[in-house]
Amino acid sequence: MSSDLKFIELNVEKKYPVKELFLDDLAEIEYILPSLHDDFLYRGGPRLITEDYLIAYEMEKGEILVFDRQGEPLHRINRSGEGPEEFFYVFDILYDPIVDELYVSTLEKIQVYSIKGEYKRSIPVKSNFISRIQLFDEHNFLCHDNYGYYPNPFFLVSRESGQIAEDIDIRYETKLEMYIQRQDGEMIYTNTGPQTNIVRVKEGFILTDYSVDTVYLYTPEKQLTPVLMRAPSITTQNPYIYLNSYLESPSYLFMNTVSNEFDWNTGRGFPQTNLMLDRKDGKVYEQKIWLKEYKGKELSLSPGMQSRVSGSMSGLLVFSPEELQEALEEGKLSGQLKDIVSRMDEESNMLVLLFRFK
């Protein structure tokens, strides 16, 4: 942990003063609009952005789409299915450019392809699936189990064998479930709020399991250090308020709290509060973040933004063509963003805003 930041104690129930900032002042901004050549169309945000590629998953067709960093189509990986070289459902996508291996986390295995989609091998996993994986080093994945299949919530898994290489000593007394379920006849419906358990930071990874009140830093040297303690204890709350912590910048740490409640009648739930800690004075604020080229657009910076970007101190946002066209017509856009949106139409892919804190 950086020497200018002490151990954090955060009350997730407290009301904090509001602080307003422009993302443009905090970060360098890059817009990426993936092209539509040869039906390279997808909905939602990209699954991964690296130094060289933007990678998306088109769920309806079961295709992984690879673009370059300027948004030009490169490769379509159509490996959907239940065969030995295929994936049935995609949980996470990772890429290691050093060995040209694209890792697709799916049921019961991690499939490995080249960036062009050439099948390399399958890595079996111990249980049905691992809820989250990150590249840890040349030999291991860093994994989180959100469902209690494994003895520890965090562990390293071999990139070759799929076996657990090392348990990370973070344990809970009782596994708390951060989701809401409803049964209708034989059908069980589940809803969850935004959840981020592993966040890459400059000095390693921030590990958060909601059943534990302490948040840890795990370094490349495999040192585990407590960096944050939430209060009150989550076991005393009803409903639970869990903490996603944190997206790192040189000046601030951006976090959000989520109340684990959902109204099935209205379809609304999981209310969030977006917070930030000033690294200079150690004070916590409720964040209001704006974009200079999009008048009136409030952004919410949270650690989930980093999970699909390689490298630390960065993140992404996505905007739908429908939203941007409406904002253009209402005169809310200016500068580079206005120029880009003026060339878009309703059939365009989502516009990606990639930011790197400065």
Side-chain angles (χ1 to χ4, degrees), residues 18-188:
V18 173
K19 190 168 188 176
E20 301 190 48
L21 297 168
F22 284 101
L23 179 61
D24 317 57
D25 296 330
L26 299 171
E28 297 176 351
I29 291 174
E30 174 187 354
Y31 293 107
I32 306 173
L33 179 60
S35 299
L36 293 176
H37 302 306
D38 300 322
D39 197 32
F40 272 69
L41 179 66
Y42 67 95
R43 287 302 174 193
R47 300 301 295 268
L48 181 65
I49 295 182
T50 72
E51 290 297 323
D52 299 308
Y53 303 109
L54 182 151
I55 301 169
Y57 174 53
E58 209 293 300
M59 184 180 298
E60 187 173 325
K61 294 182 179 179
E63 292 181 331
I64 295 173
L65 306 177
V66 181
F67 302 81
D68 67 19
R69 279 292 298 274
Q70 287 69 50
E72 292 302 314
L74 294 176
H75 314 294
R76 180 188 290 120
I77 303 173
N78 190 343
R79 293 276 187 169
S80 179
E82 299 184 52
E85 298 184 5
E86 299 172 327
F87 51 80
F88 177 70
Y89 187 84
V90 173
F91 295 109
D92 276 318
I93 297 176
L94 307 172
Y95 181 64
D96 186 342
I98 296 176
V99 292
D100 183 29
E101 290 191 341
L102 184 75
Y103 302 96
V104 180
S105 175
T106 184
L107 289 170
E108 299 182 344
K109 57 190 173 183
I110 298 169
Q111 298 286 53
V112 187
Y113 308 95
S114 72
I115 196 65
K116 295 181 179 180
E118 301 156 332
Y119 174 78
K120 290 193 171 187
R121 67 184 190 280
S122 295
I123 307 172
V125 294
K126 175 182 174 183
S127 192
N128 288 335
F129 61 91
I130 296 169
S131 54
R132 286 292 178 264
I133 63 172
Q134 286 281 357
L135 292 175
F136 180 70
D137 59 24
E138 61 183 313
H139 303 294
N140 299 300
F141 299 110
L142 173 59
C143 304
H144 178 254
D145 167 29
N146 200 31
Y147 300 95
Y149 291 121
Y150 294 81
N152 289 296
F154 295 98
F155 45 92
L156 299 180
V157 164
S158 168
R159 286 166 63 171
E160 290 298 326
S161 69
Q163 296 297 308
I164 293 179
E166 189 170 333
D167 282 315
I168 300 173
D169 193 19
I170 298 174
R171 300 176 184 270
Y172 45 75
E173 293 185 5
T174 303
K175 179 64 178 175
L176 306 180
E177 307 297 351
M178 299 298 137
Y179 56 78
I180 303 295
Q181 284 189 331
R182 183 188 70 172
Q183 186 163 355
D184 185 1
E186 296 182 355
M187 296 294 295
I188 297 178

Side-chain angles (χ1 to χ4, degrees), residues 283-339:
K283 294 181 180 179
V284 178
Y285 301 90
E286 183 175 340
Q287 58 166 284
K288 284 192 177 295
I289 311 295
W290 309 96
L291 192 61
K292 291 181 179 179
E293 294 185 342
Y294 192 161
K295 185 179 179 180
K297 179 65 175 180
E298 184 177 348
L299 310 176
S300 302
L301 299 188
S302 65
M305 295 177 168
Q306 191 279 326
S307 61
R308 298 184 180 187
V309 180
S310 61
S312 62
M313 292 205 182
S314 57
L316 65 86
L317 295 136
V318 294
F319 300 102
S320 71
E322 296 83 4
E323 175 192 351
L324 292 173
Q325 289 289 332
E326 182 178 342
L328 180 65
E329 293 172 3
E330 295 175 353
K332 295 180 178 180
L333 305 184
S334 62
Q336 182 186 7
L337 182 57
K338 180 179 179 180
D339 292 340

